[in-house]
Amino acid sequence: MGTALAAAADAAGLDFSPAQKLLVVGVCALTAGAAHMALAVFNDGVRPFMLDFIHGRATRNATGAVSFGLSAGFVFGLGAPMALSTGVLNPWLLFLPTDVLGILAPRRWLAPLLGAAWGAVVVYGLGGANELAHGLPVDFLTAMRQMSTPILFLFALFPALAVTKQFGRLRGALTGAVTLGLVVLTMRVWPGVFAGAPAMAVGVLMLIGFAVAADVRTARASGTVAAEGAGSVGPGAEDPMASLFSSGAARLRRHLPLFMALGAGVCALAQMKVFGGGEATSFLIAKGQYAEAAQVDFYRVFGFLPLIATTALASGAYGIAGFTLVYPIGYLLPNPFVAAAVGALVFALEVLALSSIGRALGRLPSVRDCSEHLRAAIGDALGLAILFGSLMAANAMGGGLGILICGGLYLLNEAMGRPVVRMAAAPAAVLAGGVALNGLYWLGLFTPVAGGPA
């Protein structure tokens, strides 16, 4: 797997075609413009703060500072290392900076220019950085490809973790056993298929099945009580949350053409196979496994759809990638023109359906809660995978000394209260450790590991 990934990444080499460069620059300009207008941001943690900004209770600079604080670690600790090691762009590298630039831009016309400038920096600057890093005595970018195996295989466990968190040990153990069995079966019977794909499919279906069954039982048990409670509410009663959600949905619908353009751009970018929506997805796209990448990103939708829907309705600011359905759809479409048309349609349907989705989530509490457990499980699985893969990369580029430096930087970050978010701390430590090992080499204090990174 590591050899195939290395060959694929070397072939990609972050060398984009003129059409791909133009699209990246255009999408970054569009996303920065949307962020400036407080219509969409990528960072889910920033979206709740947009309500105060929209209503004038927070300044542009204050909101931009919040966005920068919540995004910087992911950009430099996760987005850039993942792009350099896989040759595939990702949303942390492209869209988190355009959130910040768009919000901070003092004029509407300036925001798209700043976003376009960032897109140009990415498509023109990463290639040079990639070549420079590969020419160093200690090639830490090649070493970072060691992260692919733990990320791809541990990611397959997230449905079992989510089931355990929400429905207890017994059902969690059952889901885990099914996951393990399907991974082993796939490796034996379909060696050309990503081993985690069938396991994740069945695991997510089991989680949703448990959640729906719980909601059905709850509805049956409390049907009479709910009916009596509803009858006690006067006809003139008004739900303040429903009023707020209605206002947010109406604001988004007024800008439907902008969202359709955004959906078209993001979906076309995914179709061009230079962009991956997640950690595991980036490695799969680098290997040319587009169907498996689509499957992985499709499952992530279940974890983030309720969060994106409720925060969008409450704040009046949508997600840059919507419900992220345009990622897997884009991977599978035949050309960018079809992808643009389909992406625009998908975004239009998402925005128009937001109010209905919000009401449906209100009636399905267990299904809504399972998304929170899915997000937590994805974070746990990827956190361990990225840490373990980063230590493998440290060992590949520097042996025990590499592990000492990179592991020490990670532990120091923990001891200092995580100035770099945990998910990004380990890849950032590999980059810093690679620089340190090259410095030691030039001082004559370190000899690269024989054979170099695998």
Side-chain angles (χ1 to χ4, degrees):
M1 179 176 291
T3 303
L5 178 61
D10 289 339
L14 290 167
D15 185 17
F16 305 105
S17 70
Q20 291 167 345
K21 291 177 180 178
L22 183 62
L23 182 60
V24 170
V25 170
V27 169
C28 286
L30 188 60
T31 56
H36 176 86
M37 299 168 65
L39 287 172
V41 290
F42 179 76
N43 194 321
D44 294 320
V46 173
R47 200 170 301 116
F49 292 93
M50 299 304 289
L51 182 63
D52 286 338
F53 175 62
I54 291 168
H55 290 285
R57 295 190 293 268
T59 65
R60 186 173 293 279
N61 287 340
T63 308
V66 170
S67 180
F68 179 83
L70 293 175
S71 302
F74 285 103
V75 176
F76 300 107
L78 188 61
M82 289 292 294
L84 288 168
S85 61
T86 63
V88 177
L89 301 177
N90 58 70
W92 307 286
L93 181 63
L94 293 184
F95 302 148
L96 290 179
T98 59
D99 280 359
V100 178
L101 293 171
I103 293 171
L104 288 177
R107 297 287 184 271
R108 181 178 295 187
W109 59 267
L110 183 59
L113 292 181
L114 292 175
W118 175 253
V121 167
V122 170
V123 294
Y124 289 101
L126 278 184
N130 188 56
E131 292 178 7
L132 176 64
H134 283 306
L136 293 173
V138 180
D139 184 356
F140 51 87
L141 292 185
T142 299
M144 289 187 72
R145 294 171 190 163
Q146 297 284 336
M147 296 169 62
S148 64
T149 299
I151 285 178
L152 290 175
F153 279 88
L154 287 176
F155 189 76
L157 287 173
F158 80 85
L161 297 178
V163 170
T164 305
K165 288 173 180 289
Q166 187 170 6
F167 297 107
R169 299 175 183 176
L170 182 59
R171 293 180 182 179
L174 174 62
T175 309
V178 171
T179 298
L180 177 61
L182 286 172
V183 168
V184 173
L185 178 66
T186 304
M187 294 176 72
R188 293 287 296 175
V189 180
W190 306 291
V193 175
F194 168 46
M200 283 188 287
V202 174
V204 170
L205 288 174
M206 291 177 71
L207 173 64
I208 294 174
F210 292 145
V212 171
D215 283 334
V216 169
R217 287 194 300 269
T218 301
R220 288 175 178 172
S222 61
T224 303
V225 175
E228 293 174 354
S232 65
V233 179
E238 184 176 351
D239 183 354
M241 288 305 296
S243 176
L244 177 63
F245 279 17
S246 176
S247 174
R251 181 175 189 266
L252 296 177
R253 286 197 297 269
R254 286 197 299 269
H255 295 88
L256 190 61
L258 174 62
F259 288 114
M260 293 178 70
L262 198 57
V266 176
C267 195
L269 188 62
Q271 193 284 328
M272 284 189 168
K273 312 300 189 292
V274 296
F275 175 88
E279 302 87 343
T281 313
S282 294
F283 286 109
L284 289 169
I285 289 177
K287 295 166 60 182
Q289 295 182 323
Y290 307 126
E292 289 84 351
Q295 184 179 350
V296 169
D297 271 355
F298 178 73
Y299 298 144
R300 290 175 70 105
V301 171
F302 294 103
F304 289 89
L305 187 151
L307 172 67
I308 294 170
T310 53
T311 55
L313 287 167
S315 68
Y318 199 38
I320 287 294
F323 295 145
T324 70
L325 276 170
V326 289
Y327 294 163
I329 290 172
Y331 304 148
L332 300 176
L333 291 176
N335 63 67
F337 302 103
V338 174
V342 173
L345 177 62
V346 168
F347 254 52
L349 294 175
E350 288 181 6
V351 171
L352 293 174
L354 266 176
S355 295
S356 299
I357 292 172
R359 288 193 295 270
L361 290 173
R363 293 192 293 266
L364 297 170
S366 294
V367 173
R368 185 181 65 245
D369 291 345
C370 82
S371 73
E372 298 180 9
H373 294 293
L374 270 176
R375 290 197 308 277
I378 289 172
D380 290 345
L382 286 176
L384 176 61
I386 290 173
L387 175 59
F388 185 60
S390 296
L391 291 176
M392 290 172 62
N395 181 65
M397 69 183 183
L401 181 60
I403 292 176
L404 172 65
I405 294 174
C406 298
L409 288 172
Y410 179 87
L411 292 174
L412 181 61
N413 183 71
E414 289 286 308
M416 294 172 63
R418 299 191 197 117
V420 178
V421 291
R422 178 177 283 173
M423 187 76 75
V430 175
L431 289 183
V435 172
L437 289 173
N438 277 291
L440 292 173
Y441 170 82
W442 286 320
L443 292 173
L445 300 175
F446 171 72
T447 301
V449 175

